[in-house]
């Protein structure tokens, strides 16, 4: 066995050292593309995930979100919760919100929306809502008969052609809102918000006090308390501290939240990802196999000679395993160089979706290692199979027949 | 040393079978240099492959030093082939990506010798064929005669019982052919190497002790040249 390995290594070494360099370069080039194919799309999808989780943080959930425990619709005494939360070390800002269902009507057009009641001045510290007003202005502390409408339902924003919308709603337009409890209100549109994100642009915003009044709520009720932390990454510790501070509601970090949400949103994406990975692997395996197989066929006579002069089939098979491992290692190396160059390019020049959504691919070390191991395993199999089948042929056939 | 009795080799079966050997018998003693002659298609290659254990006879007996090799199991035949049989091919059959030394050296490594020892053995063998100086060249950098001498070095490095050569000069001009034949002669005279060589060039017989002639699969003459 040791002799087989030594001799196999010698054969592989000689054939690399004195073999055709152009062929070697071509093989390595093809293999590097196979490797790229394996890791590139997942990195782009990873970038999209990061983008979407960022949206989750910037709009509905903050870094940490506190929601009613059990079957309760509301957090009772949200001000008390806020007081405890704000006292926790590492918390930068927090605010309460009331989310309700409603329908909005404008010139006979009706769309169902979710309306968030919030405290406008506190949101500047907590979310990006105040900063994404594309037309008009954000609501203020005194805005009680005013509403902010998402661009997709307003009928002006990107994607509004996909969804039901109100036609041409502009700042100053009047809209009629019917809340889920049947109460009707008329509001003047103060501004249009455009986050290029369905969870934002299909919603509307009014003042917290409006919702309180419409639903007859007392004692600072809230459907959620949204918290931002000082330092990204400290969410888990702050979550624990909030719990220790005596908040008995459900406390989620954005990661907890987006896990379920992103999972849903990404499911179709994930399926594409898995399919593309699978196809890449099959194509990659087939290519490696074909390359090695052609190589082996070209050397059928040589294999026969080696056997005829007494080299064991084991060493011959091993030499091809070494050879294809060498090709694939070089291919992976070249693929990594290519991959990182592309990554750096796209980090600097992100792909833009929806005009404003910048997707920067994410480098996932686990995925890289997975792909490297897969390719190497494949290369051994692809090297051994054809060599093994040829080395089993009779010597006479291998040398003297074609 | 070698005894062949009524050796037959048919390709295919029944009516259409090609009878390449129709029952050949002879003996070869240790240290002989034998030429097998005959027209093209007379069965020379077929005979040599059987003698070198690269192929099986259809019928007949074949013994080397009293050992009935024709009935050995394949694993033992293959071991015998590795350690005791040297075979020189018509078209050299060198590995193009290996230097002269490596082409020889790989076999010693296969036998489990150390790198150093293998290298020494290879250089010794190359020295015997007069190519020690060119041990670093690859086959493409050698003339036909030199290539064939490397192939001979590879075949004799393991010090085989018998060295077989199938038309070793068929692809060589006269000058190169002479070089190769001189090497065979020297191996035979200096080291007592038993050699069985197939050829169809009459002037090659000047180098050998004995000429066996085949015709249409049968032995038609067995002529002692000298000694
Ligand atoms: N693999 C084979 N299959 C069928 N017939 C063969 C095969 N090899 C050789 N022969 C036939 O056997 C006969 C002897 O061939 P061979 O031993 O090669 O002759 P030589 O080497 O003397 O030219 C020829 O008629 C040849 O056609
Ligand atoms: Mg022949």
């Amino acid at each position: 066995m040791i002799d087989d390995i030594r001799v196999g290594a010698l054969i592989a070494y000689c054939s690399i050292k004195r073999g055709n360099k152009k062929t070697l370069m071509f093989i390595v080039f093809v293999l590097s593309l196979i490797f790229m194919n394996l890791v590139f799309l997942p990195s782009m999808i990873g970038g999209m995930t990061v983008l979407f989780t960022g949206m989750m943080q910037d709009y509905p959930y903050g870094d940490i979100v506190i929601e009613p425990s059990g079957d309760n619709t509301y957090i009772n005494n949200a001000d008390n919760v806020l007081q405890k939360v704000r006292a926790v070390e590492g918390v930068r800002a927090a605010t309460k919100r009331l989310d309700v269902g409603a329908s909005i009507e404008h010139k006979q057009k009706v769309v169902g929306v979710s309306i968030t009641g919030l405290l406008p001045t506190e949101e500047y510290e907590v979310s990006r809502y105040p900063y994404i007003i594309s037309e008009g202005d954000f609501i203020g502390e005194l805005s009680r008969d005013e509403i902010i409408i998402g661009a997709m339902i307003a009928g002006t924003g990107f994607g509004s052609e996909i969804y039901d919308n109100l036609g041409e709603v502009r700042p100053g337009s009047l809209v009629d809102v019917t809340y889920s409890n049947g109460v009707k209100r008329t509001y003047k549109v103060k501004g249009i918000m455009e986050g290029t994100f369905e969870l934002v642009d299909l919603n509307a915003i009014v003042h917290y006090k409006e919702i309180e009044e419409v639903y007859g709520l007392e004692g600072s009720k809230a459907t959620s308390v949204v918290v931002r932390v000082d330092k990204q990454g400290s969410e888990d510790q702050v979550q624990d501290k909030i719990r220790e501070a005596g908040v008995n509601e459900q406390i989620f970090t954005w990661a907890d939240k987006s896990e379920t949400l992103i999972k849903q949103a990404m499911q179709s994406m994930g399926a594409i990802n898995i399919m593309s990975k699978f196809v890449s692997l099959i194509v990659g395996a087939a290519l490696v196999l074909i390359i090695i197989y052609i190589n082996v066929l070209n050397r059928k006579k040589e294999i026969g000679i080696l056997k005829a002069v007494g080299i064991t089939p084991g060493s011959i098979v091993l030499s091809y395993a070494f050879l294809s491992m060498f090709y694939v290692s070089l291919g992976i190396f070249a693929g990594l160089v290519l991959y990182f160059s592309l990554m750096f390019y796209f980090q600097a020049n992100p792909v833009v979706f929806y005009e404003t959504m910048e997707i920067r691919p994410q480098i996932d070390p686990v995925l890289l290692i997975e792909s490297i191991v897969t390719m190497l395993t494949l290369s051994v199999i692809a090297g051994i199979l054809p060599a093994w089948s040829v080395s089993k042929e009779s010597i006479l056939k291998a040398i003297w027949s074609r | 040393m070698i005894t062949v009795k009524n050796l037959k080799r048919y390709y295919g079966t029944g009516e259409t079978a090609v009878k390449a050997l129709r029952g050949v018998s002879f003996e070869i003693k240790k240290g002989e240099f034998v030429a097998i002659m005959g027209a093209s298609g007379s069965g020379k290659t077929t005979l040599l492959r059987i003698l070198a254990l690269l192929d099986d006879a259809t019928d007949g007996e074949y013994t080397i030093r009293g050992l009935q090799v024709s009935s050995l199991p394949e694993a033992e035949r293959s071991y015998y082939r590795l350690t005791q049989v040297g075979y020189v091919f018509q078209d050299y059959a060198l590995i193009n990506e290996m230097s002269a030394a490596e082409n020889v050296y790989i076999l010693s490594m296969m036998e489990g010798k150390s790198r150093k020892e293998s290298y020494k053995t290879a250089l010794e063998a190359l020295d015997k064929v007069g190519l020690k100086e060119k041990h670093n060249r690859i086959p493409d950098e050698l003339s036909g005669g030199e290539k064939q001498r490397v192939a001979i070095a590879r075949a004799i490095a393991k010090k085989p019982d018998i060295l077989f050569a199938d038309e070793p000069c068929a692809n060589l001009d006269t000058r190169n052919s002479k070089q190769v034949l001189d090497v065979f002669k020297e191996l035979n005279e200096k080291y007592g190497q038993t050699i069985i060589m197939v050829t169809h060039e009459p002037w090659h017989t000047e180098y050998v002790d004995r000429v066996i002639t085949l015709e249409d699969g049968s032995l038609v003459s067995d002529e002692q040249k000298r000694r």
Side-chain angles (χ1 to χ4, degrees), chain B residues 9 11-12 18-21 38-47 49 166-167 198 214 216:
Chain B
R9 176 66 164 101
Y11 294 106
V18 178
K19 297 182 175 179
L21 291 178
S40 178
S42 56
K44 307 181 295 290
T45 296
T46 303
L47 175 62
R49 285 184 193 166
D166 188 1
E167 307 210 25
V198 167
L214 294 184
D216 199 16

Side-chain angles (χ1 to χ4, degrees), chain A residues 28 30-39 280-281 284-285 288 324-325 327-333 335 368-382:
Chain A
V28 168
V30 171
L31 289 171
S32 73
L33 292 186
I34 293 171
F35 181 75
M36 269 285 293
N37 195 25
L38 226 48
V39 290
S280 309
L281 268 182
V288 173
S324 58
M325 262 166 79
Y327 291 153
V328 169
S329 304
L330 275 192
I332 289 172
F333 179 76
L368 285 180
I369 291 168
E370 233 177 62
S371 308
I372 290 172
V373 171
T374 312
M375 291 268 294
L376 281 177
T377 314
L378 253 172
S379 72
V380 174
I381 297 169

Side-chain angles (χ1 to χ4, degrees), chain A residues 47-343:
Chain A
M48 268 156 124
T49 312
V50 166
L51 186 80
F52 282 119
T53 42
M55 297 259 189
M56 296 295 181
Q57 283 171 281
D58 286 342
Y59 303 107
Y61 298 123
D63 299 322
I64 292 169
V65 64
I66 301 167
E67 292 180 351
S69 57
D71 292 338
N72 299 340
T73 316
Y74 303 108
I75 297 169
N76 289 312
N77 203 349
D79 286 343
N80 179 258
V81 171
L82 274 171
Q83 203 183 349
K84 287 176 188 164
V85 166
R86 283 178 180 139
V88 167
E89 201 193 318
V91 169
R92 194 187 65 199
T95 189
K96 58 185 175 184
R97 288 180 192 161
L98 275 168
D99 287 325
V100 296
S103 60
I104 305 183
E105 190 179 343
H106 176 72
K107 292 185 183 163
Q108 267 100 50
K109 288 194 173 175
V110 186
V111 286
V113 292
S114 142
I115 297 186
T116 301
L118 46 72
L119 293 167
T121 47
E122 289 185 358
E123 288 292 338
Y124 284 86
E125 289 293 305
V126 173
S127 72
R128 290 193 38 81
Y129 286 123
Y131 306 101
I132 55 163
I133 305 303
S134 59
E135 288 173 61
D137 295 300
F138 195 56
I139 51 174
E141 205 41 58
L142 299 172
S143 302
R144 291 297 302 275
D145 52 356
E146 290 173 325
I147 190 168
I148 300 287
I149 287 191
M152 286 181 191
I153 44 175
T156 56
F158 188 91
S160 49
E161 57 276 3
I162 310 168
Y163 299 99
D164 287 343
N165 64 65
L166 297 173
E168 290 288 288
V169 170
R170 286 274 171 281
S173 310
L174 291 181
V175 294
D176 297 317
V177 172
T178 309
Y179 286 97
S180 58
N181 61 355
V183 174
K184 283 184 200 256
R185 290 281 164 106
T186 299
Y187 296 109
K188 194 171 92 191
V189 175
K190 180 86 184 282
I192 309 286
M193 61 178 171
E194 184 160 18
T196 54
F197 183 43
E198 276 91 339
L199 276 177
V200 175
D201 294 354
L202 287 174
N203 287 358
I205 290 173
V206 296
H207 198 287
Y208 174 84
K209 291 222 168 80
E210 257 317 285
I211 306 290
E212 234 184 357
E213 200 180 293
V214 166
Y215 284 81
L217 303 174
E218 274 169 9
S220 73
K221 299 266 193 295
T223 51
S224 66
V225 167
V226 179
V227 184
R228 297 305 293 246
V229 295
D230 281 329
K231 219 168 70 227
Q232 287 292 310
S234 67
E235 294 86 355
D236 285 339
Q237 287 139 279
V238 176
Q239 179 188 28
D240 290 342
K241 282 188 197 156
I242 292 175
R243 208 172 273 135
E244 281 160 25
V247 174
N248 297 320
E249 315 294 333
Q250 299 188 70
I251 308 168
F252 302 102
T253 64
W254 65 268
D256 300 333
K257 266 292 170 189
S258 56
E259 219 169 287
T260 44
L261 259 159
I262 292 280
K263 251 185 208 152
Q264 286 165 7
M266 290 308 222
Q267 226 151 37
S268 51
M269 217 47 115
I272 293 171
N273 194 5
I274 287 168
M275 254 158 57
S276 111
K277 249 193 201 171
F278 189 71
V279 171
S280 309
L281 268 182
I282 300 274
V283 171
L287 272 172
V288 173
L289 206 84
I290 289 169
I291 288 171
I292 303 293
Y293 195 62
I294 290 174
N295 203 345
V296 168
L297 283 188
N298 274 335
R299 295 151 158 270
K300 207 169 154 177
K301 183 169 179 189
E302 188 182 297
I303 291 175
I305 293 167
L306 287 169
K307 267 181 75 181
V309 298
I311 305 298
T312 58
S315 350
I316 298 169
V317 170
L318 271 175
S319 78
Y320 281 92
F322 291 147
L323 210 58
S324 58
M325 262 166 79
F326 175 78
Y327 291 153
V328 169
S329 304
L330 275 192
I332 289 172
F333 179 76
L336 280 173
V337 171
L338 207 64
Y339 172 74
F340 279 112
S341 333
L342 274 178
M343 286 299 110

